[in-house]
Structure formats: C-alpha cells, structure tokens
Amino acid sequence: MVATLQVYLFLAFYLAIFALSVWALVDLLRRPAAAFPSAGKRTKNFWGAILGVGTAVAFMAIPPPLGLGFLSFLGLLAAVGAIVYLVDVRPAVAPYSRRRGPRGPSSPGGW
C-alpha cells in the first residue's frame, strides 16, 4: 500500500515537472526574439536550448507507464530551468512582447 502511494506520488511529481517545462517552452515560443535583449536577458535561442533539453529530459524522467523512466535525477534540473524562466525571464520579457493593435488604449481613435 505504501509502495503504491509512493509510486503515484513519484509519477505526479514528474508529471508536474513535465507540465511546467512544457508551459515554459510554449511561452518562450510565443515571445519575439527581440524582446530578450531588450529586457537585458539571454537570447531566445539560449532559452530555447535550455527549455527544449529540459522538456525532453523531463519527459524521459516520467516513470515507465507514461514515460521512459530514466534520467530521473536530471528531472530536477529541468524543473530549475523552467522555474528560472517563468519567474525571472518571463516577467522581464513580457512588457517588450505585448501586442499593440489598432484598438489598443494608445490608438488615436480611442476605441
């Protein structure tokens, strides 16, 4: 009983790391490349490599029914890369990547 609970907790933990990594990678892909140097952060390619490798490692760390089940100790490094991006880089890049359409608050028509 306890062993089964541990397996499910382990599975939930690594699924959460994988979901966090995917979220960070998708957010990165939606940001323009020029926003990163403007915010004083590393380039989009740098973060793409970190998050891409991290997402692949996070998938490989998921236990066998759903993933491959190896490199589980590196799953924590994938979580660190995703957390650093989401907590530090994403808020810094966000103001430089907002879309300003013709109906925005700064439009001359004031729609």
Side-chain angles (χ1 to χ4, degrees):
M1 165 121 166
V2 174
T4 304
L5 180 63
Q6 287 176 339
V7 168
Y8 285 130
L9 286 175
F10 187 73
L11 178 64
F13 179 68
Y14 280 101
L15 283 174
I17 290 174
F18 178 66
L20 191 70
S21 298
V22 169
W23 176 30
L25 184 62
V26 168
D27 184 76
L28 171 86
L29 294 175
R30 296 180 61 212
R31 305 286 176 184
F36 289 84
S38 297
K41 300 297 177 184
R42 301 290 298 248
T43 65
K44 184 175 180 176
N45 290 337
F46 173 81
W47 283 106
I50 296 290
L51 295 176
V53 169
T55 302
V57 168
F59 176 74
M60 288 188 279
I62 297 173
L66 300 176
L68 301 176
F70 60 96
L71 298 176
S72 61
F73 62 96
L74 293 178
L76 297 176
L77 291 178
V80 168
I83 290 169
V84 167
Y85 174 80
L86 291 170
V87 172
D88 182 42
V89 178
R90 181 176 183 244
V93 172
Y96 298 100
S97 59
R98 297 236 161 91
R99 296 181 186 185
R100 292 181 181 90
R103 297 184 189 176
S106 62
S107 67
W111 299 16

